[in-house]
Amino acid sequence: MPVLKAQGIVKTYRGGDGGVLNILNGVDLTVERGEMVAIVGASGAGKSTLLHVMGALDRPNRGDVVIDGESVEGRTDEELALLRNRKVGFVFQFHHLLREFSALENVMMPLRIGGTEPAEARKRAEELLARVGLTARKHHRPSQLSGGEQQRTAVARALATDPVLLLADEPSGHLDHGNAERLHEILSKLARDLEIALVVVTHNASLAGRAGRCLLLADGLLAETEVGRLAT
Ligand SMILES: Nc1ncnc2c1ncn2[C@@H]1O[C@H](COP(=O)(O)OP(=O)(O)OP(=O)(O)O)[C@@H](O)[C@H]1O
Ligand SMILES: [Mg+2]
C-alpha cells in the first residue's frame, strides 16, 4: 500500500476579480514508503497548494487524497486534523518554532499535545535531536540557534509523532549553501532510515538531485523532469 495516493486533484481559487483560478487540473501522484520525490515549478505554479492538499491541510475541489490507506474524502475538519497528527509531518521554509521554548521543548510539543507522557516524549525528542546533530543545542531557544539549526529542529519536530509522510516546502529556501547541504543530507537520510515517504518542494537542484523522482508542476499537472534542467 502506498503512503500517499493523490488522484485527480483539482484545486481552484477565486481570483480578486471574481473569476476562477485553476491551480491544479487533475494531479495524480503515488509515493511509496522510503521514497523521496521532489516537486519543482515556477513561482505561482501551485506547489504549496498541492503540498497542502496532499497533507490534508486543505481540501481539493475534486479528486481524492489517500494517506496510508485513509481517504480524506468526506471527513470533518476535526477528523482531518487527527489524520494529519497521526500520519503527516510538515517542514516549511520558515521554521515556525515557538520562540519561548527550547529546541527540546519544541520537538516534544506535538507528542505532549498528543498525550504522550513527559518522560517518553523527552526520550523521543532527544533521540531525534541527536539524529539532526543538535544534542549540544537542545536547551537553546530558537533565537539562540542558527538558521540551519532552526530548520533541523523543525525537521525533528515534524518527525516527533512518527509520521509515515513528511512534506517539506522549500525547507532550505533561506539557508546558505553549507547549511542547506547539511539539511538536505539529513532529510534524505532520515527518509531512508525511517522509511517514510518524503515529498519536497524545492528550487534547489542539489536537493532535487537526492530524490528518486523529480516532478515538474506546470499548467496544473505534474510531469517527470530531469534535475539537470534546474538552474542552481
Ligand atoms: N488562498 C488563496 N486564495 C486565492 N488564491 C490563492 C490562494 N493561495 C494561493 N493562491 C494562488 O494560487 C497560485 C498558486 O499558489 P502557490 O502558493 O501554491 O504557488 P507556489 O508554486 O507554491 O509558488 P512559490 O514558488 O512562489 O511558493 C498563486 O497564483 C496564488 O496567488
Ligand atoms: Mg510555495
Side-chain angles (χ1 to χ4, degrees), residues 13-14 21 23 41-50 169-170 201 203 217:
Y13 288 123
R14 199 151 291 281
L21 300 169
I23 308 298
S43 181
K47 304 179 299 296
S48 297
T49 300
L50 177 60
D169 196 350
E170 293 284 0
V201 165
H203 288 107
L217 181 62

